[in-house]
């Protein structure tokens, strides 16, 4: 059972699908990095023993009744965190790519910067990555697309190492992109006039398993995310025009 | 062209029978059978009613009435498929929200049981 303690309560959430080989080590590393902080693993209806190993490592498991995909799993964690009253939520992946040693720095940045979201970035000074050439190319493309929309550069738009405060938590527990959430989330933030900050983080190779985004799926990924981004931009513009019309 | 019109009549009859049988066996819900039945009946009536078909072909500026009907049928079925995409999308959203709610409620029940124990 997890519950928030203190005024700046933190919950670490780990969406996981078939991560039995890595999940135990990830949770142990989180416990070592932020002792006493509750860890919630959202088991996206894994076909292996992810939930069992997560519980054995001391995490609380939220078991989804069927496979929802990454966005649905993350949003389930956000919804529970919001209901339980947590002030900050940091999400990292269950495959061990994100180093939990960076969690305290993300939390500090959330508390001190006043930003609603903090992204662990592998591409700003001090960060490190193990990204394939194709993925790096995709990231560069989305940087170019997002630059004019966000009004500021974003170096690692596909990072899943993300911390949010309670204001963003409220929004994301209601509205959250469901299939490939990272990039669209930035546009949702922009629509709400929220701010985000990137801090350097180390991205490690996966401890086990393979990425869900294969070479064939990457084209679908690009088209899907572009459509999602522009749909959000259109919503944003419509609201702005509506507000301007009401003001006039 | 008469052959094409006969073929479209046949397709519409098969579609009507298929939809009715599916509704009877409860494979398709009545509300989702309505758009298919409406489209199939429209296709059946127009493929047999040459006066209406000639009028439509002239309005669409298509020389062949059979081709005009084929175009119209294509548009009708596109609309039906689009409507079903809207329905499926809404159902998927509802399904995701329900699955999340079930997982959260299960979590609360388990927490409550642990607390009681």
């Amino acid at each position: 059972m997890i519950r928030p303690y203190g005024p700046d309560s933190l919950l670490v959430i780990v969406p996981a699908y078939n991560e039995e080989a890595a999940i135990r080590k990830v949770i142990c590393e989180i416990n070592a990095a932020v002792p006493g902080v509750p860890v919630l693993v959202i088991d996206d209806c894994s076909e292996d023993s992810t939930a069992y190993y997560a519980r054995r490592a001391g995490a609380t498991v939220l078991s989804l009744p069927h496979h929802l995909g990454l966005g649905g799993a993350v949003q389930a964690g956000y919804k529970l965190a919001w209901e339980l009253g947590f002030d900050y939520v940091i999400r990292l992946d269950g495959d061990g790519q994100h180093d939990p040693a960076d969690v305290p720095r993300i939390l500090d940045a959330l508390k001190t910067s006043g930003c609603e979201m903090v992204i662990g970035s592998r591409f700003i000074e001090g960060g490190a990555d193990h990204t394939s050439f194709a993925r790096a190319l995709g990231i560069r493309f989305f940087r170019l697309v997002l630059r004019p929309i966000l009004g500021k550069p974003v170096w690692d738009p596909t990072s899943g190492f993300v911390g949010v405060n309670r204001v963003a938590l409220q929004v994301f527990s209601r509205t959250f992109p469901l299939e490939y959430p990272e990039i669209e989330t930035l546009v949702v933030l922009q629509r709400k006039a929220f701010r985000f900050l990137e801090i350097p983080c180390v991205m490690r190779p996966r401890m086990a398993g393979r990425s869900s985004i294969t070479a064939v799926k990457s084209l679908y990924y690009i088209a899907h995310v572009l459509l999602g981004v522009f749909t959000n931009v259109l919503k944003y513009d419509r609201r702005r025009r509506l507000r301007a019309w009401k003001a006039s | 062209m008469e052959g094409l019109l006969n073929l479209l009549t046949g397709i519409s009859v098969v579609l009507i029978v298929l939809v009715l049988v599916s509704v009877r066996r409860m494979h398709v819900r009545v509300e989702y059978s309505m758009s298919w039945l409406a489209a199939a009946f429209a296709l059946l009536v127009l493929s047999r009613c040459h006066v209406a078909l000639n009028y439509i072909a002239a309005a669409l500026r298509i020389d062949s009435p059979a081709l005009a009907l084929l175009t119209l049928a294509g548009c009708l079925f596109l609309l039906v498929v689009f409507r079903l995409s809207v329905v499926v999308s809404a159902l998927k959203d509802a399904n995701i929200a329900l699955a999340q709610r079930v997982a959260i409620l299960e979590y609360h029940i388990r927490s409550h049981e642990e607390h009681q124990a």
Side-chain angles (χ1 to χ4, degrees):
Chain A
M1 188 175 174
I2 49 174
R3 65 164 65 120
Y5 292 103
D8 289 335
S9 52
L10 169 68
L11 174 69
V12 175
I13 63 170
V14 184
Y17 178 63
N18 292 345
E19 300 287 5
E20 67 175 7
I23 197 75
R24 199 170 172 182
K25 194 176 175 205
V26 169
I27 293 165
C28 290
E29 284 183 344
I30 295 169
N31 289 334
V34 277
V37 168
V39 180
L40 178 72
V41 171
I42 303 114
D43 176 32
D44 196 6
C45 206
S46 297
E47 289 149 12
D48 62 8
S49 305
T50 300
Y52 171 76
Y53 286 110
R55 282 197 186 96
R56 276 194 64 179
T60 301
V61 177
L62 184 67
S63 294
L64 295 172
H66 61 86
H67 185 60
L68 297 186
L70 181 61
V74 172
Q75 195 189 27
Y78 283 153
K79 281 183 176 178
L80 183 60
W82 169 253
E83 284 181 16
L84 294 175
F86 282 92
D87 295 301
Y88 300 102
V89 175
I90 294 176
R91 171 208 150 187
L92 51 87
D93 287 349
D95 56 12
Q97 281 193 311
H98 303 138
D99 188 351
D102 291 323
V103 168
R105 290 194 306 110
I106 290 184
L107 180 63
D108 281 345
L110 273 171
K111 286 179 183 172
T112 56
S113 67
C115 291
E116 282 77 15
M117 189 164 109
V118 172
I119 303 168
S121 172
R122 70 203 108 163
F123 297 117
I124 54 177
E125 202 178 333
D129 78 299
H130 291 83
T131 305
S132 66
F133 174 74
R135 187 172 175 133
L137 208 64
I139 289 169
R140 277 173 182 271
F141 171 70
F142 280 114
R143 269 187 213 155
L144 288 173
V145 171
L146 289 170
R147 176 74 179 83
I149 296 169
L150 301 176
K152 67 183 253 189
V154 53
W155 296 102
D156 197 354
T158 64
S159 173
F161 200 1
V162 167
V164 295
N165 68 8
R166 194 153 171 80
V167 181
L169 193 59
Q170 183 184 20
V171 171
F172 290 155
S173 62
R174 289 180 190 161
T175 311
F176 196 70
L178 291 173
E179 205 161 354
Y180 303 113
E182 291 87 2
I183 294 172
E184 284 181 55
T185 303
L186 291 167
V187 187
V188 174
L189 278 178
Q190 176 71 10
R191 254 174 53 203
K192 301 283 176 188
F194 289 172
R195 291 156 300 158
F196 71 89
L197 173 75
E198 286 183 280
I199 64 164
C201 281
V202 175
M203 184 74 86
R204 306 180 297 193
R206 299 171 71 91
M207 285 181 190
R210 282 181 302 175
S211 170
S212 59
I213 300 173
T214 58
V216 180
K217 276 188 185 172
S218 56
L219 282 176
Y220 172 74
Y221 172 86
I222 289 172
H224 186 291
V225 172
L226 274 179
L227 189 60
V229 165
F230 287 117
T231 309
N232 273 296
V233 169
L234 287 178
K235 282 183 196 169
Y236 178 63
D237 276 347
R238 202 181 64 181
R239 280 187 191 179
R240 206 166 44 181
R241 277 202 300 270
L242 204 67
R243 244 181 270 136
W245 177 75
K246 277 180 183 170
S248 66
Chain B
M1 283 300 153
E2 193 58 33
L4 184 57
L5 285 176
N6 289 338
L7 183 68
L8 287 171
T9 306
I11 289 172
S12 60
V13 170
V14 169
L15 190 59
I16 289 167
V17 172
L18 191 71
V19 171
L20 290 176
V21 169
S22 300
V23 171
R24 186 176 163 272
R25 289 182 180 170
M26 291 192 284
H27 293 163
V28 178
R29 290 183 63 86
V30 175
E31 58 266 38
Y32 300 120
S33 69
M34 295 304 287
S35 42
W36 284 115
L37 283 175
F41 271 116
L43 188 61
L44 178 64
V45 169
L46 287 176
S47 64
R48 293 295 95 198
C49 180
H50 290 222
V51 180
L53 197 56
N54 287 335
Y55 178 78
I56 289 169
L60 293 175
R61 296 183 181 185
I62 297 174
D63 293 338
S64 159
L67 275 181
L69 180 58
L70 205 61
T71 310
L72 205 64
C75 292
L76 270 177
F77 290 124
L78 272 179
L79 277 176
V80 172
V81 170
F82 178 73
R83 179 178 171 267
L84 291 181
S85 294
V86 172
V87 171
V88 168
S89 300
L91 280 175
K92 185 173 179 181
D93 284 346
N95 191 285
I96 287 172
L98 271 175
Q100 290 171 335
R101 182 51 44 199
V102 166
I104 290 171
L105 285 175
E106 272 182 356
Y107 165 81
H108 285 310
I109 290 168
R110 203 178 305 121
S111 299
H112 185 68
E113 284 171 353
E114 281 171 14
H115 187 69
Q116 295 275 311

